[in-house]
Amino acid sequence: MQTLDPLLWPDSARWGPAGLEIGGCAVTTLARAYGTPLYVLDQATLAASAERFRAALQRVYPGASSVHYAGKALLNVPLARLIAAAGLGLDCVSLGEVAVARRADLDPAQIHLHGNAKPRAELEQALAWGIGRIVVDSLDELRLLHELTRDRATPQPILLRLNPGVAVQTHAHIQTGQLDSKFGLPIATGMAWEAAALALASPGLRLVGLHAHLGSQLADLTPFGAAIVRLAEFAAELRARYGWTMAELSPGGGLAVPYRSGDPAPTIDDYAAALATAVMAQCQRHGLPLPRLVIEPGRALIARAVVALYQVVAVKRIAGVRTFVAVDGGMGDNIRPALYDARYTALRADQPGGTPARSHAAAGQELVTIVGRYCESGDVLLRDITLPPLEAGALIAVPMAGAYTLSMASTYNLVPRPPLIAVGEGMATVLQRRETYEDLMARDSV
Ligand SMILES: Cc1ncc(COP(=O)(O)O)c(C=O)c1O
């Protein structure tokens, strides 16, 4: 029987008589009940990941620490409630995400608002809602906030998102810490100093700390240490110039996950230790008190908790060329392969024991390319994967499907977006239902 790699599949995933089971539910039953494509979230895996992040930081870092889930990875109202129940704060990047958090009754103080181009109306509303931290990304944003908060009795807490000039090894679309980036106030050009001076002179703002986010899917921990060196130097200089104390420091998110067996990815413990060691060393070097260490994991918190299920619609074998296996989802629910060349693995999920993907075709196996249903040749979900022979109606499961899939989903070709259901202890609950044709037309003048 095929072992399910515990680094890729939810904690509760196992083989049962009808095939793959998650949270005590057979995926064949779930597919029949909710249709496909279907996104299945294992609640126990999510809760365990949240706890792992919290506990790992607390174990290695003697100062205060907090974990803010980066909602851009995946967010809806019930999921925001699960995040809050797990004791995490929430990072939002738009007022839409904040509105979801509010509907879920999250404490506004636990919400951080990011974004490199926050529109004025969103900032005004965020201020009115009492958002815990606004993470300022540009001088223009800071000048606007300065104006908007001039007459406030209680200053708005802010963090400055700095661009530390630290390049990372990841796909170009998800690099953010290098100087040539739209994100953050560069230290190297002096913009960060200008921002700090204005923030400290703004009566309606309270500069609480410094932030940097280097990029996503970072398998090498070294750049985190390099960024912390620069943030601590900056904090020490601000203390020398203005007597300011950095109460909070956030190295953002970005921890990599494996998408296929053997992909390099540090453990949560290694990540927490690397951050804590760097912050403690730099604070000692500059004689700074330990700040609250705030991390913002998105991908590494949610990816493994979710499995995507697709049904095979058509198989086209072109002898000597390629076998295309077309499924009922694709780039509309998971744009990552098309956008970033992201690679996944998959299993046939409707047979006991399943069969793993292999790099070379083995007896009874077939090298196939799994393509989506959208009208684009680039709609390829998995290129060159070895699976048992598939026919129309077969069920395929793709692990590590929680991050940047549904949150980036589109209604391209006017295909309704799939539902997200939570499973645990043999029960399934709909977190977000499938979109309907009526939903698709809801904004149209008819
Ligand atoms: C500011 C910030 N924090 C956190 C994250 C989450 O990153 P990841 O999902 O890689 O952990 C992002 C992702 O882009 C981000 O921009």
Side-chain angles (χ1 to χ4, degrees):
M1 187 169 288
Q2 166 60 26
T3 7
L4 296 162
D5 184 340
L7 298 177
L8 301 184
W9 294 88
D11 294 338
S12 68
R14 46 190 108 285
W15 290 111
L20 185 65
E21 293 178 1
I22 305 170
C25 300
V27 296
T28 44
T29 310
L30 296 174
R32 262 196 308 276
Y34 299 100
T36 50
L38 180 64
Y39 279 71
V40 181
L41 179 140
D42 178 36
Q43 262 181 262
T45 302
L46 176 62
S49 298
E51 187 47 33
R52 211 163 287 154
F53 271 105
R54 268 159 37 101
L57 274 187
Q58 283 169 8
R59 227 179 356 260
V60 292
Y61 187 65
S65 57
S66 1
V67 181
H68 283 243
Y69 169 62
K72 62 168 76 71
L74 179 66
L75 193 65
N76 50 54
V77 174
L79 182 57
R81 289 200 185 104
L82 292 177
I83 291 298
L88 308 189
L90 188 70
D91 261 337
C92 295
V93 283
S94 71
L95 214 60
E97 290 185 0
V98 177
V100 165
R102 278 170 54 87
R103 178 64 65 87
D105 289 325
L106 263 64
D107 176 1
Q110 294 307 314
I111 299 175
H112 290 189
L113 182 62
H114 281 275
N116 72 303
K118 305 176 190 76
R120 180 189 181 107
E122 295 200 11
L123 283 175
E124 284 172 342
Q125 191 63 72
L127 289 167
W129 282 345
I131 297 309
R133 303 279 180 271
I134 295 178
V135 187
V136 178
D137 209 292
S138 70
L139 277 174
D140 283 315
E141 179 186 344
L142 187 59
R143 291 187 193 110
L144 179 57
L145 279 172
H146 174 82
E147 291 306 317
L148 294 175
T149 57
R150 211 180 252 291
D151 302 323
R152 278 170 75 99
T154 324
Q156 167 67 40
I158 61 166
L159 304 178
L160 290 182
R161 176 169 177 171
L162 303 186
N163 180 308
V166 173
V168 291
Q169 292 285 325
T170 191
H171 192 282
H173 292 184
I174 47 177
Q175 293 172 351
T176 56
Q178 73 285 8
L179 179 61
D180 183 4
S181 163
K182 73 171 185 173
F183 293 103
L185 296 148
I187 299 176
T189 65
M191 211 182 284
W193 300 109
E194 200 183 325
L198 176 56
L200 291 169
S202 296
L205 299 175
R206 183 161 64 87
L207 179 59
V208 179
L210 303 177
H211 177 283
H213 172 77
L214 301 176
S216 200
Q217 187 57 7
L218 308 183
D220 176 12
L221 296 174
T222 328
F224 289 106
I228 288 166
V229 167
R230 307 230 169 125
L231 294 187
E233 277 169 5
F234 191 84
E237 182 61 30
L238 285 189
R239 189 191 48 181
R241 288 192 200 176
Y242 304 103
W244 177 77
T245 302
M246 173 171 63
E248 294 181 10
L249 182 156
S250 177
L255 178 61
V257 296
Y259 280 97
R260 294 180 297 172
S261 286
D263 281 355
T267 64
I268 292 173
D269 284 332
D270 290 345
Y271 166 70
L275 299 183
T277 307
V279 175
M280 289 187 291
Q282 293 311 309
C283 287
Q284 191 178 33
R285 174 172 161 222
H286 296 288
L288 298 172
L290 285 184
R292 172 178 288 274
L293 178 54
V294 183
I295 58 166
E296 304 166 340
R299 188 190 307 274
L301 214 144
I302 195 78
R304 191 172 59 86
V306 179
V307 172
L309 301 175
Y310 300 98
Q311 192 168 49
V312 175
V313 177
V315 180
K316 181 163 94 175
R317 294 189 169 87
I318 310 172
V321 178
R322 187 181 295 279
T323 296
F324 288 98
V325 173
V327 298
D328 52 5
M331 65 190 293
D333 58 271
N334 186 352
I335 189 75
R336 296 188 63 258
L339 189 63
Y340 309 142
D341 287 327
R343 305 295 298 265
Y344 285 85
T345 188
L347 284 169
R348 179 163 187 169
D350 56 350
Q351 292 177 339
T355 310
R358 303 232 183 94
S359 47
H360 301 293
Q365 303 278 303
E366 189 178 13
L367 185 68
V368 301
T369 289
I370 300 182
V371 295
R373 61 164 297 171
Y374 295 83
C375 294
E376 297 287 335
S377 290
D379 180 22
V380 175
L381 269 181
L382 287 109
R383 203 173 286 282
D384 296 337
I385 177 167
T386 306
L387 289 172
L390 292 162
E391 67 289 339
L395 197 61
I396 288 177
V398 176
M400 304 301 290
Y404 305 104
T405 50
L406 289 183
S407 65
M408 289 181 142
S410 75
T411 56
Y412 182 50
N413 290 173
L414 293 185
V415 175
R417 287 172 290 183
L420 176 67
I421 62 157
V423 291
E425 298 176 358
M427 306 279 285
T429 334
V430 176
L431 298 185
Q432 191 172 47
R433 65 165 170 78
R434 187 180 301 280
E435 203 161 35
T436 63
Y437 296 125
E438 280 307 312
D439 290 335
L440 293 177
M441 291 177 267
R443 296 179 305 134
D444 298 4
S445 306
V446 287

